[in-house]
């Protein structure tokens, strides 16, 4: 009985550890196109940033200001990179979340997409997670 109990605990532990890895096994593999989709940041922050992906460009609201950037997306390898990020210059009460968001976005080099989520990575490190809007 003890062996059965121990075996069950070990099996549940291994299963829970592998499910916590999320989509890391899909990084660097073929991904669906995300062109023409709109996303909202999944984190629990006020004034959640949004992301609209169009052909060769992204735009959205970073929490206070609107932003825009060129984007290169390679679906065959799941690559995602931005350059020349610009934004409007309004001052809002709390700019911390916006500043963090806009500083992390240029670090992204990979993406993993499902029907309802978009995860942006730097190599194997998850930086941003979005829900489909």
């Amino acid at each position: 009985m003890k062996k059965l109990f121990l075996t069950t605990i070990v099996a549940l532990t291994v299963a829970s550890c592998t499910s916590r890895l999320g989509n890391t096994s899909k990084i660097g593999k073929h991904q669906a196109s995300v062109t023409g989709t709109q996303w909202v940041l999944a984190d629990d922050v006020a004034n959640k940033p949004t992301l609209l992906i169009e052909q060769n460009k992204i735009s959205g609201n970073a929490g206070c200001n609107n932003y825009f950037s060129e984007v290169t997306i390679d679906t065959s390898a799941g690559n995602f990179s931005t350059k020349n990020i610009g934004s409007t210059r309004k001052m809002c009460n709390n700019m911390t979340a916006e500043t963090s968001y806009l500083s992390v976005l240029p670090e992204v080099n990979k993406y993993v997409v499902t029907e309802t989520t978009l995860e942006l990575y730097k190599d194997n490190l998850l930086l941003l997670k979005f829900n489909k809007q």
Side-chain angles (χ1 to χ4, degrees):
M1 188 68 158
K2 283 185 182 181
K3 285 184 181 181
L4 178 63
F5 180 72
L6 225 55
T7 304
T8 305
I9 295 297
V10 169
L12 288 174
T13 304
V14 169
S16 68
C17 288
T18 55
S19 66
R20 292 183 68 186
L21 294 176
N23 290 323
T24 56
S25 64
K26 296 179 183 178
I27 296 174
K29 298 187 176 155
H30 180 33
Q31 298 295 320
S33 174
V34 288
T35 302
T37 56
Q38 198 163 13
W39 306 89
V40 62
L41 192 66
D43 288 346
D44 189 23
V45 295
N47 301 323
K48 292 183 181 196
T50 60
L51 173 67
L52 172 63
I53 303 172
E54 299 174 304
Q55 193 68 31
N56 301 322
K57 66 179 182 173
I58 60 170
S59 60
N61 186 282
C64 174
N65 289 286
N66 294 325
Y67 70 94
F68 45 88
S69 174
E70 297 173 40
V71 68
T72 303
I73 300 173
D74 176 10
T75 58
S76 65
N79 293 335
F80 186 105
S81 64
T82 60
K83 66 178 183 178
N84 301 324
I85 296 176
S87 70
T88 56
R89 302 278 184 197
K90 292 188 296 185
M91 286 300 293
C92 296
N93 288 336
N94 187 354
M95 299 288 289
T96 307
E98 177 169 314
T99 303
S100 297
Y101 176 74
L102 291 175
S103 66
V104 167
L105 203 52
E107 301 295 319
V108 172
N109 61 8
K110 299 283 182 187
Y111 79 100
V112 173
V113 66
T114 67
E115 288 183 26
T116 59
T117 62
L118 170 66
E119 296 176 347
L120 300 179
Y121 291 83
K122 179 177 182 178
D123 301 322
N124 290 331
L125 177 65
L126 178 62
L127 297 178
L128 298 166
K129 184 174 182 177
F130 295 87
N131 293 321
K132 197 167 196 174
Q133 197 170 27

